[in-house]
Amino acid sequence: MCEPASAATLASASQGLMIAGTVAGAYGAYNQSKASKASLEYQASVARNNAEYSESQARDAIRRGQVAENDVRRRTAQLRGSQRARLAANGIDLGEGSALNILLDTDYFGELDALNVRDNSNREAAALRTQGSNQISNANLLDARAGMESPIGA
């Protein structure tokens, strides 16, 4: 038959279970801290990739703006040529009066349109670069948080 457990045996078993519980809790905290650190490092890496992508988009916005600006200038030059041809075909002197005003207005508004296209592409690029800068700041913050996450100290 089994002997009844003594108080000392029960106390010893209880202490053993408490130690096992503490060890299991510490191991769980260690794993949780380790996972949290890995997650923060991954998020920082994603933020850095997003910042690089934002810079790439900013360069593309500038390039597209340059192409569009040149297109506006080309269309303005075509319009001006067409206007000159029509006016001249009707025997109108291009160097004075309304004809000159029409040509000057075409040049002025064409250049204004081209500069607006450039300004808009510069604004788009600046917004994308700000977005990238914010992503870098976020990555730095995530790195700092990951650095403070210590699986050993958990």
Side-chain angles (χ1 to χ4, degrees):
M1 290 218 152
C2 291
E3 295 181 25
S6 68
T9 305
L10 289 176
S12 178
S14 176
Q15 285 179 340
L17 288 174
M18 285 176 41
I19 291 171
T22 300
V23 169
Y27 183 70
Y30 169 82
N31 283 334
Q32 182 179 1
S33 180
K34 190 174 169 184
S36 179
K37 182 177 181 117
S39 175
L40 291 167
E41 289 170 345
Y42 174 76
Q43 290 175 43
S45 175
V46 169
R48 280 195 179 77
N49 288 341
N50 288 342
E52 289 177 21
Y53 184 65
S54 290
E55 179 56 33
S56 174
Q57 286 181 309
R59 286 191 303 269
D60 183 59
I62 295 295
R63 185 194 55 76
R64 285 184 288 110
Q66 290 167 341
V67 168
E69 180 181 348
N70 289 336
D71 284 347
V72 167
R73 286 201 172 98
R74 181 184 45 77
R75 285 193 309 268
T76 298
Q78 288 173 339
L79 175 60
R80 189 175 202 283
S82 175
Q83 288 171 332
R84 287 178 59 88
R86 283 189 182 148
L87 292 169
N90 288 322
I92 299 173
D93 183 4
L94 303 178
E96 62 183 41
S98 295
L100 179 60
N101 289 339
I102 289 170
L103 296 174
L104 290 175
D105 284 350
T106 299
D107 289 341
Y108 173 79
F109 287 111
E111 185 62 18
L112 185 63
D113 287 346
L115 293 175
N116 280 333
V117 166
R118 179 192 302 173
D119 191 44
N120 288 340
S121 69
N122 286 339
R123 283 186 197 156
E124 180 182 352
L128 288 163
R129 287 188 171 122
T130 297
Q131 182 179 0
S133 178
N134 290 342
Q135 289 289 346
I136 291 294
S137 294
N138 187 40
N140 291 338
L141 175 65
L142 290 165
D143 280 338
R145 286 180 57 199
M148 291 187 301
E149 194 68 45
S150 173
I152 303 300

